[in-house]
Structure formats: structure tokens, C-alpha cells
Amino acid sequence: MISKKAASFFVLIATAAAVPAIIIWLGREQKKTVPARNYALIEPGEAMNSIVRKAAGVVPAPRQWAWQSREFAAFFHFGVNTFTDREWGDGTEDPGMFNPTDFDARQWVWIIKSAGMKTLILTAKHHDGFCLWPSAETTHSVKSSPWRGGKGDVVGEVAAACREFGIGFGFYLSPWDRHEPSYGDSPRYNEHFRRQLRELLTNYGPVAEVWFDGACGEGPNGKRQEYDWASYYRTIREIQPEALVAIMGPDARWVGRESGTGRETEWSVLPVRTPIPVEVAASTDPFAMDAVFVPRDLTDVDLGSREKLAGATALIWYPAETDVSIRPGWFYHASQDGEVKSPERLLEIYESSIGRNGVLLLNIPPDKRGRIHENDEKSLRGLRRILDLTYGTNLAAAAAVRASGAAAGHGPKNILDDDPDTFWTTPEGGEKAEIEIDLSAPAEFDRLVLQEYIRAGQRVEGFSLDIEDGGAWKPLARGTTIGFKRILRFPPVSARKVRLVVEKSRTNPMLSSFGLYRSPVKGEAR
Ligand code: FUL
């Protein structure tokens, strides 16, 4: 009946005008201007190698780059379901039951900040229609609850705490509303929904992300709604052009599963197959293509390989966001207090989401007090501790490094500094490259972390890591895509010299970071 979460897909995204060109210096002092756009158009009959080069030149829009760099975000599912002990409310809930006894937004934000998260997304309204802010559009909200005498505003307090602690604030606003009487009466509800969006985008300061769920069921009158997505995007672009529109939106896609793991091969550049209207192709409006958005299933294992690019009409930057809950449910249930994911499990999730070219959106549902439960807090602290112990020291930071080739100004040392704006690259067009790292003394490690300089595009299709053993190179680990960040874990190994081989790249690879790490030995992380 209800599409649980229809992943969304764009016909085309255009933010060209807003993005300055990136000037890249290449060998022999030549200068090349890479078109800094988050999409590229494909000509009918265009040759495959030209399509592949174009794919390598599609880059994130500034808001997409900012979002990707923040890496780790917190999701907060809170509302009437917290008090009814349900996952989906039906819209008939009495607002009087929303009454957290010790609500503390600063506690939420302090805990997620300590865990290393950079953004918070709050369910301002879930499918039951209850609003966590005093919307002028309905009485089905905090203003009809006893909490703070009906004068409370969860969204306001959370947004203020985010500002105080320097955390990006975002909201989830469910288009599916099982309470609102106008739902199903399409033009009327679309107007209602846009007004609610407007309230949230106008009254609470900067918004980092708007999260649209794909669920679309029946409303209280049994009718289904036709969502006017394009008009929702226009509202967001007009009021908060820096906000990232995720999931049923054009800026970031749902990874396709709720296990917390991304794909081994995770491309941020995806093909578009629909014909591109002439006026769309010719438009210079950075958001013109938001108008053409077709929800599509993006759960396939392969979304962006060369085979998938064949036959595309355009290519777009459409990266993955990986959402998962710290507990079995999205909302708080006391019965799940014993099922909070352990720090070790959270580490696996972290490494297979952020470590697979994705952003991790970890749900931490506040309890009936309106606080993060002690068990969840403990797991998050445990995670932070393991992350710090594991990734605190790059064992290769002071290594000597040699490359098979380097473009002027982009030598291999750049992959060992902490500067995300410097990178190593080879002369233009080279599809293979190697880098040799001498740690000066044997060191033990069990993690490899690589980052591409994605501001110039995602390029690497295959790589391997070798270690020197008795004077010969021995294969240790291999991977396909890198993207913003790739983490490989393997059993601890000791070596003095390692070699990274980029076996296949869409054009010359650009790597901004290389790291070798050792996870804490058992017991050390406690
Ligand atoms: C789903 C919703 O139906 C769930 O309740 C939850 O909000 C999840 C993040 O998205 O589609």
C-alpha cells in the first residue's frame, strides 16, 4: 500500500551558475579549467570514453561539498510516537499525551557533538501529523499539549542548542500527514505543506538540510495526495538556498537500505536516462532542473559503473546518505533499552558508511523525558573513544613518499598533510598511478583511509595496497571506488614500505589523503 521509502531520482540537477570553475594546474605549466558543475549533458551517440571523462568532471555543488565534509549527522525521531510506544502514529493521537518531563535539547546536542557529529536532523512532523513547533497551520501541535503550558517549541529549542554548540540544524518534514484534513485534496494540502515549510525555513535560523521521506499513504479521509515536489524545492531554494534537500530531494539520495552499510562500489555521479528538455539544458538558473524530478528506485548494487553510464542523457552528482538507528526502532521504546547498538557495532557502521563514500545519519531517539537515554549516550561515548584511539594517529604522517608521476604543484607529499584542499595528481588523462610510502621503520596497522579530491570529481575505479615483504611486493587489500572517503580494514600487519596502486581511474586520479592506522588492541578501548 505504502512505498516505504521510494528513493528519489533526478531528471537533471543544475547548479552550474552558482559554482565557480576550478582551475587545476597540470604538468608543464599548462592550465586547465574544469567545468565546476554538478551535472553534465551527454550528446546523442556520444562515445563511451568521452562520457567517462565527463563523469569524472562532475563535481559537488557547494552545499553538497559542505554536507559531505560534515560526514556524520544525528537523526532525532521524537513526537507522539515516543509517548504511544509506536513507530507510526495514525493521526488520531491526543496532543495532550505529548508531555516530556525533563526535555533538554542542550543535552541532545552536547552528546552528539561529543560523539563527533556535525549536523542534527529533527522530525519536526512525522506521518502522524503532530508538529513539534507551534505551526500556524494546525492546532495538532505542541501548542495543544500540556508541555510548557502549550507555549513550548521543540524545533526552536533544538535549533537554538545547535547554534550554541556549532552544529548544523536540519529537519525532517513528512509529506505524508495522517491527521491533516486537507491531505489528499492535492492543491490545498500542497499549499498547507509549503506554508509549513516556510515557517520552518523562516523562523529558526540557517537550515543545513531538509529531509523528505518517500512514504505516501492515505490521509484521514482515505485519499492519497499528489505531492508537488517541484514547488517544495522552489520554496526551499528561495528561502534557504544553502540547505541540502535529501532523499526525496535532488541533492542527496537514500543509500537504499537501513542496515547502516553503503556499497563497496559507491559512485556519487549517477546517470540520468530521461530526455532533457531544451529549455532545461539551456537554462542558467542554478536550480532550474529541480522542476524535473522523478522518484525512482535507487537500491541496485551498481548505480554508476561505466556500464550504467552507457545510454545516459546526463550525469549528475547525487551522493549517498546512510541512515540507521542506534536501536531497532526509529522512535524510543523502553522495551529496546537493552538493544542499543554497541560501540563496536557502531564502529562497523561508521566504517562501512562514511568509509564507503557516504554520509552517516545515525538516529538516536530521545525518551519520554525528552533526553537521550543513558544507554545510548554510553554507546556513543564508546564509539568516540574507539574512533579517537583508532584514527588519532596517522602512522604514515611523517613517511617519505614517491609517486610514479606528479603534476606540477601537486606532488605526493600532499596526501600526507591535513589540508583537504591539497592533493596529489598525475599529468592529465593518466588512468593508472602508483605511490610508494616508506615509514622509515616497520609499523603495525589494520586500517587504510583514502580520500579523493572530489571537488574536482570522483575518478578512481580500482586500487590496491601492497606491502613490501622480504624485498618483494605482496598484495594486502584492494578496493574499487574511493570518493570522499574510503576505509579498508584488514588483519593487523607490520611493514615498513607500502605501495598504493591506482589500477583504474576515469582520468588522472586526484588523492587528497592517505592514512594507515592501528585499531586499539582488545580491551584498550574500554
Ligand atoms: C521511513 C519512515 O516511515 C520511518 O518511520 C522513519 O522515519 C524512516 C527514517 O523513514 O520511511
Side-chain angles (χ1 to χ4, degrees):
M1 175 195 66
I2 292 146
S3 77
K4 168 94 171 71
K5 180 181 300 177
S8 2
F9 193 71
F10 242 104
V11 167
L12 186 72
I13 177 169
T15 51
V19 188
I22 295 174
I23 310 284
I24 291 169
W25 291 90
L26 296 155
R28 294 200 195 83
E29 305 301 308
Q30 353 153 229
K31 195 168 84 170
K32 173 160 170 35
T33 305
V34 175
R37 300 200 308 189
N38 72 347
Y39 73 95
L41 302 177
I42 305 296
E43 306 298 330
E46 191 164 337
M48 195 57 201
N49 60 354
S50 164
I51 296 176
V52 170
R53 286 294 162 93
K54 275 190 181 170
V58 174
V59 302
R63 66 187 175 286
Q64 292 173 310
W65 162 250
W67 167 86
Q68 189 97 47
S69 312
R70 290 195 298 265
E71 291 194 332
F72 195 10
F75 216 176
F76 281 88
H77 276 68
F78 187 55
V80 284
N81 296 339
T82 312
F83 298 88
T84 56
D85 208 16
R86 294 176 71 183
E87 278 293 306
W88 279 9
D90 61 14
T92 61
E93 294 78 14
D94 175 2
M97 69 175 60
F98 180 84
N99 198 11
T101 50
D102 192 15
F103 176 79
D104 187 356
R106 296 179 77 249
Q107 187 243 13
W108 303 6
V109 180
W110 173 244
I111 289 174
I112 64 154
K113 187 181 170 95
S114 311
M117 296 161 162
K118 302 274 182 353
T119 314
L120 179 158
I121 298 176
L122 170 68
T123 52
K125 175 178 89 167
H126 203 251
H127 310 327
D128 53 72
F130 180 78
C131 299
L132 291 180
W133 80 105
S135 171
E137 292 296 304
T138 179
T139 53
H140 197 58
S141 78
V142 278
K143 70 185 173 205
S144 305
S145 82
W147 178 64
R148 303 235 202 285
K151 299 270 181 285
D153 184 345
V154 175
V155 174
E157 290 193 35
V158 171
C162 285
R163 271 199 301 281
E164 179 186 341
F165 291 107
I167 293 291
F169 167 73
F171 61 85
Y172 166 119
L173 188 68
S174 171
W176 184 29
D177 188 325
R178 304 176 84 181
H179 177 85
E180 170 55 34
S182 67
Y183 185 93
D185 180 355
S186 292
R188 218 149 62 82
Y189 178 77
N190 283 327
E191 182 54 28
H192 166 88
F193 190 77
R194 280 190 298 268
R195 283 183 208 259
Q196 289 203 321
L197 261 179
R198 208 165 261 284
E199 291 178 353
L200 292 169
L201 292 163
T202 311
N203 300 330
Y204 298 101
V207 171
E209 183 166 343
V210 178
W211 212 95
F212 285 139
D213 195 295
C216 173
E218 292 168 357
N221 51 17
K223 289 203 228 156
R224 290 281 278 268
Q225 171 73 22
E226 293 278 328
Y227 301 137
D228 185 358
W229 293 111
S231 74
Y232 306 164
Y233 309 146
R234 276 199 300 278
T235 306
I236 299 168
R237 305 305 195 198
E238 175 205 320
I239 308 172
Q240 300 245 9
E242 303 303 319
L244 180 116
V245 189
I247 313 306
M248 292 301 281
D251 297 334
R253 67 187 149 87
W254 182 49
V255 73
R257 30 182 139 151
E258 280 171 352
S259 57
T261 48
R263 294 169 178 76
E264 287 275 351
T265 302
E266 193 65 84
W267 286 105
S268 293
V269 175
L270 266 57
V272 169
R273 304 205 175 280
T274 351
I276 309 301
V278 184
E279 64 285 5
V280 165
S283 176
T284 53
D285 173 357
F287 301 119
M289 312 313 166
D290 283 359
V292 211
F293 180 86
V294 182
R296 203 189 81 175
D297 189 359
L298 287 177
T299 57
D300 287 0
V301 176
D302 178 9
L303 296 176
S305 70
R306 289 185 187 222
E307 290 87 77
K308 292 282 166 176
L309 300 186
T313 51
L315 307 167
I316 53 160
W317 188 269
Y318 200 32
E321 182 176 76
T322 311
D323 62 338
V324 64
S325 187
I326 196 166
R327 290 163 171 255
W330 289 105
F331 282 89
Y332 176 82
H333 308 287
S335 58
Q336 296 179 351
D337 283 350
E339 294 180 78
V340 176
K341 292 184 174 67
S342 66
E344 292 74 19
R345 178 71 198 112
L346 292 177
L347 177 73
E348 278 168 17
I349 287 175
Y350 181 98
E351 292 179 330
S352 56
S353 55
I354 293 173
R356 289 186 184 168
N357 189 30
V359 163
L360 173 57
L361 178 58
L362 179 65
N363 182 63
I364 309 142
D367 62 17
K368 291 187 186 186
R369 295 170 302 172
R371 299 176 68 90
I372 295 180
H373 189 272
E374 291 68 13
N375 296 0
D376 307 48
E377 179 179 3
K378 199 165 160 236
S379 266
L380 289 171
R381 287 198 191 289
L383 169 67
R384 188 66 253 163
R385 199 168 145 63
I386 310 184
L387 286 173
D388 288 345
L389 286 169
T390 304
Y391 294 107
T393 309
N394 179 0
L395 300 166
V401 54
R402 217 153 47 100
S404 54
H410 296 289
K413 260 283 176 201
N414 286 344
I415 62 168
L416 300 179
D417 65 22
D418 278 338
D419 186 347
D421 292 327
T422 63
F423 55 90
W424 158 63
T425 193
T426 54
E428 198 189 357
E431 294 178 4
K432 287 183 201 297
E434 269 183 39
I435 202 154
E436 216 181 281
I437 287 144
D438 184 347
L439 304 174
S440 79
E444 193 177 76
F445 51 90
D446 59 2
R447 299 285 196 282
L448 166 71
V449 181
L450 297 173
Q451 290 193 272
E452 273 184 86
Y453 183 71
I454 58 160
R455 297 184 91 170
Q458 185 184 356
R459 302 172 171 208
V460 175
E461 294 176 301
F463 66 92
S464 60
L465 185 73
D466 304 331
I467 53 170
E468 200 190 56
D469 187 14
W473 289 113
K474 195 173 125 194
L476 175 65
R478 55 192 315 118
T480 52
T481 48
I482 298 175
F484 181 70
K485 186 172 280 182
R486 185 67 203 262
I487 301 177
L488 291 189
R489 38 196 286 181
F490 35 81
V493 64
S494 183
R496 173 181 162 170
K497 284 190 182 172
V498 302
R499 177 173 76 169
L500 177 77
V501 182
V502 176
E503 294 166 340
K504 200 171 173 202
S505 184
R506 290 181 169 177
T507 183
N508 50 309
M510 295 183 164
L511 290 191
S512 68
S513 158
F514 174 99
L516 294 174
Y517 300 90
R518 174 70 171 101
S519 63
V521 261
K522 233 178 163 28
E524 205 182 301
R526 307 266 153 200

